[in-house]
Amino acid sequence: MGMKDMNCLPLSTRSAGAAECYNSALSAYLSNRADFSANLKALLEADPEFALGHCFRGYGAMLMFNRAMLPLAADAHRAARNLAPGATRREQAHVRALGRWAAGDVDGALQEWEALLAEWPHDALAIRLAHFNYFWTGRAADMLASLERVAARWSDALPAYATLLSCLAFALEETGDYGAAERAGRRAVEIDPAEVWGTHAVAHVLEMQGRREEGIAWLAGLERHWEGKNNFVHHLWWHRAMFHLELRETDAVLELYDKRFRNLASPLVAAMPDLYIDVQNAASMLFRLERQGVDVGARWSELADKAQARIGDCQSAFTLPHWMMALAATGRDAAARSMLDSMKSHPTASVREVAFPVCEAVLAHRRGDYARAVVCLASVLDRLHQLGGSHAQRDVLHQLYFDACLKSQRSAEARALLDSMAARFPVPPSRRVGYAAAVT
């Protein structure tokens, strides 16, 4: 009998050990476990001729959103492509998707994954990769539609069902169906209390609905299940800090910053201090705290060191304004200008046309040139979603714009933003800490 993946899809490897390692690596990826890399290494040692194993290695490199990983991804694709003639058609589709993604063609990769899922709707790897890329390219409606196309073909008999529900929950939240999102996310966590993406989806619902005490209790009650997880737990701690910030408990926020989501010496999770999501967590929280008059001390400096080392790396459009926040906060104007120069002619539209003016606004705001910050951001306010990130994450950019409007006496623009937010989100600006003090 041939080898199968966790959802009973055929694998081309003839090695039972390799199949076991593949399923361990897939499970680790889907559930955000820290042993993903170890399982991937064991997989390729068990069968160096397994095309999908090399493809998975390339996917792992691309998921880092780090320019330094692109040669590894390209190398993995070459190895997978050379072995593809002996692979299944499904595996060959994955190899093509990796090739497109590694070449910068995200749309092409998504087309490959969607075509694959039309024939093999139980391919959890393709589902999760498409979900990731729709999210980080700001296509929430497509993210939901992708999941809805396969969801009817799934049931709780499949091992990865909690992952599917978690992805569905998050997509529903980002498209504004908070009731359905919460039901799906809670069901995923009932199935697997260590399902952190489902935990995260429910946290987003509670954030959007202003249920702050519930949010703290939800995350605190599940934290015991996070042992062995990867850096994603930092983002969950960031969410908890966001709830405390809305309750104006800034001491608790700083404690979470220092001891949880930016503790680089923490024994709880291996530190990856310039991983895109960790940088976003840290910079956005420091900006929010400073807006509330909190002295954040020297915390910007280590972020600025990481930012300066990554100038020219535009793999994650949404991370770029966060790098700029750190450079601007520490007065590193030359580095900030170099960063802008690397972006203004970038081939990716979201970097060149959206992230570039946003970063200009971040720098102008820190310099006190609030009128220029308003002009730069106003031109792309309706395109901020193209950077990727969630509603909760992108709110830091809306706060920057709002603050710049207030400080440059642009009351009409400030009011227009507040009206837009009141129409789109369930919690009015008057009940949100980043806006309440200025709402009359």
Side-chain angles (χ1 to χ4, degrees):
M1 184 176 179
M3 302 303 162
K4 307 277 189 180
D5 80 353
M6 60 165 46
N7 279 350
C8 293
L9 295 172
L11 298 173
S12 61
T13 183
R14 296 181 180 180
S15 165
E20 181 180 355
C21 289
Y22 174 81
N23 282 317
S24 294
L26 179 58
S27 174
Y29 167 54
L30 298 178
S31 57
N32 293 95
R33 290 205 319 266
D35 62 349
F36 170 68
S37 294
N39 282 300
L40 197 57
K41 180 181 178 182
L43 162 61
L44 291 169
E45 289 174 349
D47 184 358
E49 305 299 309
F50 185 23
L52 187 57
H54 288 281
C55 190
F56 210 168
R57 176 169 65 100
Y59 282 155
M62 293 303 298
L63 287 164
M64 299 297 290
F65 275 160
N66 187 327
R67 185 175 61 176
M69 302 299 289
L70 294 180
L72 191 155
D75 178 72
H77 177 248
R78 280 191 297 270
R81 185 182 58 202
N82 290 338
L83 295 164
T88 68
R89 286 195 306 112
R90 181 180 67 89
E91 292 169 345
Q92 290 170 353
H94 272 296
V95 175
R96 291 193 301 272
L98 172 60
R100 288 178 176 258
W101 192 12
D105 182 8
V106 175
D107 288 343
L110 286 164
Q111 289 169 10
E112 293 286 356
W113 288 317
E114 291 296 354
L116 187 162
L117 288 169
E119 190 166 355
W120 297 281
H122 294 165
D123 190 316
L125 180 58
I127 287 171
R128 192 66 182 84
L129 290 167
H131 184 68
F132 176 92
N133 279 282
Y134 282 129
F135 173 57
W136 287 112
T137 52
R139 289 178 266 190
D142 291 334
M143 180 169 64
L144 178 59
S146 176
L147 293 159
E148 289 179 333
R149 282 191 290 271
V150 300
R153 308 279 292 277
W154 279 62
S155 74
D156 57 9
L158 293 169
Y161 187 59
T163 295
L164 177 80
L165 284 175
S166 297
C167 292
L168 187 60
F170 184 63
L172 287 163
E173 182 276 326
E174 285 298 294
T175 51
D177 193 343
Y178 301 117
E182 184 170 358
R183 289 190 294 273
R186 288 185 181 274
R187 176 61 181 139
V189 174
E190 285 174 8
I191 294 170
D192 179 6
E195 176 46 72
V196 290
W197 194 247
T199 298
H200 163 257
V202 174
H204 269 273
V205 172
L206 301 177
E207 168 76 21
M208 296 303 290
Q209 294 185 331
R211 296 156 62 187
R212 289 120 190 194
E213 292 87 351
E214 285 183 68
I216 292 168
W218 169 251
L219 294 171
L222 290 167
E223 189 172 336
R224 68 185 184 277
H225 300 290
W226 301 347
E227 184 177 355
K229 298 297 184 180
N230 63 17
N231 288 61
F232 189 69
V233 300
H234 295 167
H235 188 59
L236 295 177
W237 285 322
W238 175 85
H239 271 283
R240 179 164 174 175
M242 287 281 284
F243 290 123
H244 285 291
L245 183 64
E246 288 295 331
L247 294 170
R248 294 175 170 79
E249 297 169 351
T250 55
D251 288 345
V253 175
L254 285 171
E255 183 174 12
L256 283 164
Y257 186 101
D258 291 334
K259 295 183 179 180
R260 289 292 187 263
F261 65 88
R262 201 57 192 171
N263 182 358
L264 304 185
S266 172
L268 299 175
V269 179
M272 296 178 69
D274 66 344
L275 187 68
Y276 65 96
I277 188 68
D278 282 357
V279 171
Q280 295 163 12
N281 294 335
S284 66
M285 189 57 73
L286 293 183
F287 180 88
R288 287 176 167 94
L289 285 167
E290 287 188 329
R291 277 209 69 217
Q292 300 309 307
V294 176
D295 182 358
V296 301
R299 291 178 178 87
W300 280 115
S301 294
E302 65 91 8
L303 284 175
D305 290 343
K306 309 301 184 300
Q308 197 156 345
R310 294 286 293 274
I311 290 172
D313 189 341
C314 301
Q315 293 299 298
S316 167
F318 187 59
T319 308
L320 295 171
H322 298 81
W323 287 132
M324 183 58 79
M325 287 177 190
L327 294 175
T330 52
R332 304 188 191 192
D333 286 359
R337 294 309 314 176
S338 293
M339 181 178 166
L340 288 171
D341 288 343
S342 73
M343 297 166 59
K344 64 184 176 183
S345 59
H346 197 273
T348 303
S350 61
V351 172
R352 181 182 67 254
E353 299 175 8
V354 185
F356 176 74
V358 171
C359 287
E360 284 194 305
V362 170
L363 183 59
H365 181 271
R366 178 61 70 166
R367 288 173 168 172
D369 190 351
Y370 303 115
R372 176 161 176 75
V374 171
V375 170
C376 290
L377 262 176
S379 67
V380 292
L381 269 184
D382 61 349
R383 297 182 64 187
L384 291 181
H385 66 281
Q386 294 177 13
L387 298 176
S390 65
H391 295 301
Q393 289 173 300
R394 290 194 303 272
D395 184 65
V396 71
L397 302 178
H398 288 118
Q399 287 199 33
L400 188 148
Y401 177 74
F402 183 64
D403 191 66
C405 287
L406 295 177
K407 289 176 177 174
S408 59
Q409 287 79 52
R410 304 291 185 93
S411 58
E413 288 90 338
R415 174 52 57 189
L417 177 68
L418 295 176
D419 289 346
S420 173
M421 295 175 69
R424 288 183 293 130
F425 302 120
V427 180
S430 60
R431 288 187 51 220
R432 299 176 60 194
V433 74
Y435 305 93
V439 176
T440 57

